[in-house]
């Protein structure tokens, strides 16, 4: 009797505890929504959705032991309070896991909440589906983007879901944590950035850093705390004289210091290779003005003039995103001034509306519908996403590479000779610009003038450049154009054109081959695959192409066969060759004296090779990847394949670094672009490299084009700084416009 009573009592206590947790979470949501903010009927629907989800999830629990319903409640609150979404999103967030995780059917949701909500819940359920493909993350990203252009809210709610899961991730296994972090930094953080959801993106990045590099995260976090007092004092000293002047304007404003996020500080430490103590801009000072829409612009400039009267500005650091907002909708006026002690301080000046858009981005757009520039900014972007989605890609990875370049990063503003402006991602080239104007102009672009000067095709653009494109109808895209563009649009258009060319070549090749076969009375089907296989073509299509492009001569190739009853028979079988013939893609075997430490130990005991996709040099940041059957492979941390490897095979990644003792040389390849001033250019370059710089050349190819040339030069170098030295030396030669290190992919 007594035992049963104890169990009953425990159950009773547990039940009461659950109810307390549920009530608290529900109350938090209601408090966030507030009173009078939303219509009574929406309120009723929110209560309905809560009750519906509560019943659906029943006794389910989260991994932490809490009742499951606390999760959708919190996701709903994040949607409303932190992201600024409306009641529809709150209702959909409450229901977001019902169809996936409970016996509830989508039709139940539709019957009770209508088609609009059901459609969002359906979108959220599908986003979580499983993928039976080689690269689940890339495929996943594509799915997220397709959903995005259909209904942005689905993706925004998904982000709130992800944020809550990340905030409560401690309970998960390390492996799962790393996987979620990789997916977040791969998909959701860049998207949040592109949608202007600054707060969300920052928290994503910080939480990911906390998972992937806990030591670094804690170190920065602690140091930020230790230096807080000094920082506050500095900010106060900076603000005090400013306030005196600003108050004289009798306008409503707020001024405060904004700390940088931990992830952005860690980025700085890594990319600039400086210590925490050497980073001066750990914060920015922000001024937020409360003025009506029509006065925003003039008020911001008025404040700017006062800030720069009090503290001396660095003129080059003025950034005016008020006149021309960023393509994610960001508006603000930034200036860097010299504060107390000669320290540089960034000051951001913006209106309350701009501030809200800067922090909540797309999500804030409903609130400011009347400012239609923001809407058109996103419409434009969604159009370009649709564009990339609709272009055929060989695989999801190719698609992703096209896309990722356009997610992050700054923009440049480029003008046509008529003064029309185009916004392109930073790093975009004149060829990107041509494609951004019109596909046909891109296809036939043959010469480029930037500010009236002829430049090579791969020239990167800078804000304010005026670009003129000369076309020639005989011009058409070639394989190497892909390397000369960064925008997804240009890249996918070039690929489409190349495919079209291939198809034409294949048609022609097929015709030639069929005619030859017919003349020689050869059976077609029986012999085609044999021919393809003999000459190492994967498909018949590849075989046709090679013939059409005159890489394979049919008459010559048939000479190694004799014919028996219409069938081709190989004359005498060649001895079977070594099974690993592909020289180009196989990694360079490192000699034994290369020093690499794996997980802090000398790697000599392992079999390892340097990856060919990124050709790591001594001095590059590297990691080791455990291959299935050829030991360790060393990649550069910024290898284009790195993220893919980490996302999909994170458990196979080992920490690696170079050891100091090293007597080894490495292969590297440079792309050199310059003005083609006649046949002497090869000699001049190779002479300079081998004689003046004393560097061994392993390969050299050069192509002239419309007065410019592009050379690819393979070199043997000692390490990264040696290569950098060579790049600098070559860049300074007459007629050379740019020199890049090639990654081989
Ligand atoms: Mn969820």
């Amino acid at each position: 009797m007594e035992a049963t009573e104890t169990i009953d009592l425990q159950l009773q206590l547990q039940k009461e505890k659950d109810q307390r947790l549920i009530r608290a979470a529900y109350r938090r949501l209601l408090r966030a929504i507030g009173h009078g903010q939303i219509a009574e009927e929406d309120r009723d629907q929110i209560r309905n959705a809560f009750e519906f989800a509560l019943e659906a999830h029943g006794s389910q629990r989260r991994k932490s032991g809490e009742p499951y319903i606390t999760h959708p409640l919190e996701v709903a609150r994040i949607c409303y309070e932190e992201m600024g979404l409306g009641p529809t999103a709150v209702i959909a967030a409450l229901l977001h896991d019902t169809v996936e995780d409970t016996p509830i059917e989508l039709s139940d949701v539709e019957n009770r909440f209508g088609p609009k909500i059901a459609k969002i819940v359906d979108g959220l359920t599908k986003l979580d589906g499983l993928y039976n493909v080689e690269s689940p993350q890339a495929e996943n990203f594509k799915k997220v983007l397709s959903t995005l252009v259909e209904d942005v809210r689905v993706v925004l709610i998904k982000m709130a879901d992800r944020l809550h899961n990340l905030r409560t991730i401690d309970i998960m296994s390390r492996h799962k944590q790393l996987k979620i972090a990789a997916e977040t930094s791969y998909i959701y953080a860049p998207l949040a950035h592109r949608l202007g959801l600054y707060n969300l993106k920052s928290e994503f990045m910080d939480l990911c850093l906390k998972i992937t590099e806990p030591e670094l995260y804690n170190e920065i976090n602690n140091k930020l705390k230790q230096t807080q007092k000094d920082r506050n004092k500095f900010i106060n000293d900076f603000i005090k004289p400013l306030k005196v002047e600003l108050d004289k304007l009798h306008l409503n404003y707020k001024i405060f210091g904004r700390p940088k996020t931990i992830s952005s500080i860690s980025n700085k430490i890594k990319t600039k290779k400086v210590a925490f103590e050497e980073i001066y801009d750990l914060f920015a000072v922000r001024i937020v003005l409360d003025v009506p829409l029509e006065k925003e612009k003039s008020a911001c400039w008025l404040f700017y003039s006062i800030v720069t009267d009090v503290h001396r500005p660095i003129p080059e650091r003025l950034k005016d995103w008020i006149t021309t907002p960023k393509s994610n909708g960001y508006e603000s006026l930034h200036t860097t001034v010299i504060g107390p002690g000669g320290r540089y301080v960034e000051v951001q000046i913006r209106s309350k509306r701009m501030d809200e858009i800067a922090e909540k981005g797309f999500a804030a757009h409903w609130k400011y519908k009347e400012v239609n520039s923001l809407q058109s900014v996103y419409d434009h972007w969604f159009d370009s996403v649709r564009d990339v989605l609709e272009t055929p890609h060989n695989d999801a990875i190719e698609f992703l590479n096209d896309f990722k370049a356009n997610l992050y990063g700054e923009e440049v503003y480029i003008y046509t000779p008529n003064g029309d402006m185009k916004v392109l991602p930073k790093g975009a080239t004149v060829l990107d610009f041509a494609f951004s104007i019109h596909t046909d102009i891109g296809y036939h672009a043959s010469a480029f003038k930037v500010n009236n000067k002829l430049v090579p095709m791969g020239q990167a653009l800078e804000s304010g450049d005026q670009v003129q494109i000369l076309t020639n109808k005989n011009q058409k895209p070639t394989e190497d154009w892909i390397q000369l563009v960064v925008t997804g649009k240009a890249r996918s258009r070039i690929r489409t054109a190349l495919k079209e060319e291939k198809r034409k070549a294949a048609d022609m090749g097929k015709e030639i081959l069929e005619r030859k076969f017919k003349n020689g009375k050869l059976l077609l089907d029986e012999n085609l695959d044999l021919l393809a296989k003999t000459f190492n073509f994967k498909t018949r299509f590849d075989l046709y192409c090679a013939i059409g492009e005159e890489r394979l001569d049919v008459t010559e190739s048939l000479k190694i066969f004799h014919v028996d009853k219409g069938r081709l028979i190989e004359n005498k079988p060649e001895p079977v060759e070594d099974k690993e013939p592909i020289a180009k893609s196989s990694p360079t075997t490192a000699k034994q004296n290369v020093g690499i430490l794996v997980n802090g130990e000398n790697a000599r005991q392992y079999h390892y090779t340097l990856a060919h996709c990124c050709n790591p040099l001594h001095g590059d940041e590297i990691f080791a990847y455990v291959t299935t059957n050829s030991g360790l492979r060393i990649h550069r941390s910024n290898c284009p394949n790195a993220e893919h490897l980490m996302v999909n095979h994170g458990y196979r990644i080992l920490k690696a670094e170079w050891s100091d003792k090293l007597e080894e040389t490495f292969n590297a390849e440079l792309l050199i672009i310059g003005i083609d001033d006649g046949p002497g250019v090869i000699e001049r370059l190779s002479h300079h490299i081998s004689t003046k710089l004393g560097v061994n050349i392993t390969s050299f190819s050069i192509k002239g084009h419309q007065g410019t040339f592009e050379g690819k030069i393979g070199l043997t170098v000692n390490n990264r700084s040696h290569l950098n030295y060579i790049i600098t030396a070559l860049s300074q030669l007459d007629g050379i416009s740019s020199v890049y290190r090639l990654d081989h992919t």
Side-chain angles (χ1 to χ4, degrees):
M1 270 315 262
E2 206 169 75
T4 328
E5 263 169 33
T6 318
I7 290 167
D8 281 349
L9 188 62
Q10 274 172 352
L11 279 175
Q12 185 59 29
L13 284 174
Q14 180 65 44
K15 215 171 153 191
E16 278 169 18
K17 195 179 157 209
D18 284 355
Q19 275 166 355
R20 263 201 312 280
L21 285 169
I22 295 169
R23 265 201 307 275
Y26 185 54
R27 232 180 281 128
R28 243 193 331 273
L29 172 64
L30 291 183
R31 246 201 320 275
I33 290 170
H35 288 283
Q37 299 260 30
I38 57 174
E40 202 51 48
E41 57 201 289
D42 285 332
R43 241 167 215 296
D44 289 346
Q45 280 298 64
I46 289 171
R47 167 160 278 277
N48 268 337
F50 164 59
E51 281 163 1
F52 185 85
L54 180 65
E55 199 186 315
H57 289 294
S59 59
Q60 286 174 359
R61 286 178 189 282
R62 304 198 77 208
K63 240 196 152 132
S64 59
E66 288 169 310
Y68 195 86
I69 186 72
T70 56
H71 166 65
L73 276 168
E74 189 58 13
V75 174
R77 187 196 63 74
I78 292 172
C79 282
Y80 192 89
E81 194 170 26
E82 298 185 33
M83 296 172 72
L85 298 174
T88 308
V90 172
I91 295 162
L94 286 169
L95 303 171
H96 83 272
D97 279 331
T98 52
V99 176
E100 198 187 345
D101 296 339
T102 78
I104 298 285
E105 304 271 342
L106 192 62
S107 56
D108 301 330
V109 174
E110 182 163 353
N111 288 338
R112 185 129 165 213
F113 298 95
K116 190 170 75 173
I117 298 282
K119 202 162 170 258
I120 299 177
V121 173
D122 189 35
L124 284 160
T125 311
K126 285 183 178 147
L127 269 186
D128 277 336
L130 288 169
Y131 319 95
N132 190 16
V133 287
E134 201 190 319
S135 171
Q137 298 296 9
E139 207 50 49
N140 196 358
F141 201 169
K142 205 164 166 182
K143 209 161 164 186
V144 172
L145 285 171
S146 312
T147 313
L148 179 84
V149 292
E150 240 177 72
D151 188 342
V152 200
R153 274 175 301 189
V154 175
V155 175
L156 294 175
I157 296 167
K158 177 72 200 171
M159 287 182 178
D161 179 30
R162 173 53 53 98
L163 184 62
H164 185 235
N165 286 334
L166 274 170
R167 282 178 181 168
T168 53
I169 204 168
D170 291 348
I171 205 87
M172 300 248 191
S173 70
R174 175 85 186 136
H175 178 64
K176 200 143 188 212
Q177 286 186 9
L178 284 171
K179 232 178 131 102
I180 289 178
E183 190 188 67
T184 304
S185 59
Y186 198 56
I187 301 181
Y188 292 103
L191 268 187
H193 173 86
R194 193 55 189 73
L195 291 168
L197 297 128
Y198 177 79
N199 285 346
L200 197 67
K201 176 211 155 188
S202 309
E203 193 171 346
F204 275 154
M205 298 302 282
D206 279 3
L207 290 170
C208 287
L209 184 71
K210 195 174 166 189
I211 293 167
T212 53
E213 292 178 78
E215 283 161 33
L216 183 61
Y217 178 91
N218 288 330
E219 187 192 321
I220 297 174
N221 199 15
N222 289 339
K223 283 188 174 162
L224 275 177
K225 278 184 196 145
Q226 285 159 18
T227 51
Q228 175 93 53
K229 239 176 130 185
D230 288 347
R231 213 161 39 245
N232 286 345
K233 185 181 178 305
F234 181 86
I235 291 172
N236 283 334
D237 290 349
F238 181 85
I239 286 177
K240 220 171 159 191
L242 253 182
K243 274 196 109 158
V244 175
E245 296 304 314
L246 293 176
D247 284 342
K248 291 179 187 163
L249 295 172
H250 299 292
L251 284 169
N252 279 331
Y253 73 95
K254 270 188 206 146
I255 182 166
F256 50 91
R258 271 283 290 178
K260 281 239 161 83
T261 62
I262 295 181
S263 60
S264 71
I265 295 170
S266 108
N267 268 343
K268 208 154 221 177
I269 291 177
K270 283 185 208 156
T271 57
K272 301 234 162 113
K273 305 232 177 329
V274 292
F276 177 89
E277 289 72 19
E278 292 170 64
I279 301 177
Y280 278 100
D281 49 348
L282 291 168
F283 61 90
V285 167
R286 187 175 299 169
I287 304 176
V288 179
L289 313 177
D290 193 359
V291 287
L293 185 61
E294 64 278 8
K295 291 208 176 124
E296 284 182 342
K297 207 169 159 180
S298 55
C300 286
W301 284 106
L302 182 62
F303 271 64
Y304 169 80
S305 74
I306 291 177
V307 169
T308 52
D309 279 347
V310 176
H311 297 293
R312 196 154 65 80
I314 320 268
E316 310 85 81
R317 299 275 193 96
L318 170 63
K319 282 176 196 149
D320 171 14
W321 286 302
I322 289 183
T323 312
T324 323
K326 286 192 192 182
S327 63
N328 64 8
Y330 184 87
E331 294 172 78
S332 191
L333 198 57
H334 291 193
T335 178
T336 299
V337 298
I338 304 176
R343 269 172 74 175
Y344 286 15
V345 178
E346 184 182 85
V347 182
Q348 308 168 342
I349 304 166
R350 51 174 79 158
S351 71
K352 229 173 131 180
R353 177 191 64 86
M354 295 172 189
D355 193 46
E356 199 159 338
I357 288 171
E359 309 230 296
K360 291 181 177 164
F362 187 84
H365 111 279
W366 281 286
K367 194 171 163 187
Y368 295 106
K369 279 193 199 91
E370 75 275 19
V371 189
N372 51 24
S373 65
L374 191 63
Q375 179 62 47
S376 69
V377 153
Y378 285 108
D379 282 348
H380 181 78
W381 186 58
F382 288 162
D383 280 347
S384 69
V385 174
R386 269 186 213 105
D387 213 61
V388 178
L389 282 168
E390 278 159 17
T391 317
H393 286 85
N394 287 334
D395 54 42
I397 304 276
E398 190 180 284
F399 161 82
L400 253 190
N401 289 340
D402 272 3
F403 206 84
K404 288 214 84 178
N406 300 320
L407 274 177
Y408 264 127
E410 305 275 300
E411 288 113 12
V412 288
Y413 302 93
I414 310 300
Y415 298 88
T416 67
N418 304 331
D420 291 338
M421 191 185 75
K422 287 261 164 199
V423 184
L424 291 169
K426 199 170 174 182
T429 63
V430 283
L431 191 54
D432 282 302
F433 180 74
F435 277 97
S436 80
I437 292 181
H438 196 277
T439 305
D440 276 341
I441 296 185
Y443 282 165
H444 301 303
S446 57
F448 305 85
K449 280 183 175 174
V450 171
N451 307 328
N452 275 325
K453 265 168 59 192
L454 217 54
V455 299
M457 200 170 228
Q459 167 111 349
L461 292 164
E462 277 170 43
S463 265
D465 278 349
Q466 192 200 55
V467 184
Q468 192 186 354
I469 296 152
L470 310 173
T471 55
N472 175 341
K473 65 178 185 332
N474 295 325
Q475 173 79 308
K476 58 186 178 189
T478 54
E479 204 75 51
D480 51 343
W481 280 27
I482 291 179
Q483 303 238 14
L484 302 178
V485 294
V486 303
T487 57
K489 181 173 179 180
R491 213 171 290 168
S492 61
R493 292 295 189 270
I494 294 168
R495 279 204 195 100
T496 309
L498 292 175
K499 258 180 212 153
E500 181 58 20
E501 288 296 317
K502 272 236 165 325
R503 205 185 48 75
K504 278 191 206 151
D507 283 350
M508 197 151 78
K510 188 166 183 235
E511 217 180 292
I512 296 172
L513 190 69
E514 284 177 356
R515 202 170 48 235
K516 274 264 156 47
F517 272 35
K518 211 169 159 193
N519 291 343
K521 303 216 167 14
L522 290 165
L523 297 165
L524 196 62
D525 255 355
E526 282 76 355
N527 295 322
L528 268 177
D529 293 329
L530 173 68
L531 198 61
K533 207 177 144 213
T534 311
F535 290 96
N536 277 326
F537 295 107
K538 272 196 214 136
T539 61
R540 290 183 183 185
F541 181 85
D542 293 344
L543 173 70
Y544 294 148
C545 272
I547 296 168
E549 289 169 354
E550 298 177 355
R551 283 182 282 125
L552 184 74
D553 185 289
V554 184
T555 317
E556 278 302 311
S557 61
L558 289 179
K559 283 182 182 162
I560 62 162
F561 300 98
H562 61 271
V563 182
D564 183 28
K565 290 177 196 147
R567 283 173 195 271
L568 291 171
I569 314 246
E570 222 170 318
N571 286 339
K572 57 169 185 237
E574 301 279 322
V576 184
E577 280 187 39
D578 186 11
K579 268 284 172 189
E580 261 189 83
I582 324 126
K584 182 104 179 80
S585 59
S586 76
T588 323
T589 306
K591 286 177 201 155
Q592 278 309 303
N593 55 350
V594 180
I596 290 179
L597 303 177
V598 172
N599 281 345
E601 285 170 52
N602 198 311
R604 206 168 293 175
Q605 51 190 310
Y606 307 101
H607 174 68
Y608 69 92
T609 50
L610 301 177
H612 226 291
C613 49
C614 54
N615 279 338
L617 301 182
H618 186 261
D620 283 334
E621 215 179 288
I622 50 170
F623 66 88
Y625 175 73
V626 186
T627 64
T628 356
N629 47 22
S630 49
L632 298 176
R633 190 151 301 152
I634 308 299
H635 288 266
R636 274 156 70 183
S637 297
N638 60 357
C639 169
N641 297 322
E643 200 162 31
H644 171 70
L645 292 176
M646 296 200 190
V647 164
N648 290 292
H649 312 285
Y651 54 97
R652 294 190 181 172
I653 306 285
L654 299 177
K655 205 173 111 193
E657 61 204 320
W658 303 96
S659 80
D660 287 338
K661 282 171 239 104
L662 181 93
E663 302 257 330
E664 179 56 279
T665 54
F666 299 83
N667 294 327
E669 197 175 18
L670 294 180
L671 175 68
I672 302 182
I673 298 170
I675 309 298
D676 191 357
D677 55 1
V681 66
I682 298 186
E683 271 120 294
R684 217 155 38 82
L685 258 179
S686 55
H687 174 78
H688 192 89
I689 294 171
S690 55
T691 315
K692 293 246 168 97
L693 299 173
V695 175
N696 183 27
I697 298 177
T698 55
S699 66
F700 200 140
S701 70
I702 198 155
K703 242 190 276 181
H705 183 80
Q706 305 282 339
T708 65
F709 75 84
E710 274 178 44
K712 282 187 189 166
I713 304 187
L715 304 168
T716 312
V717 299
N718 299 332
N719 53 36
R720 185 190 170 98
S721 44
H722 186 209
L723 183 67
N724 285 341
Y725 161 73
I726 296 164
I727 290 176
T728 314
L730 292 179
S731 314
Q732 281 157 5
L733 290 182
D734 271 351
I736 302 294
S737 61
S738 36
V739 182
Y740 308 99
R741 174 176 176 188
L742 282 178
D743 283 338
H744 279 268
T745 39

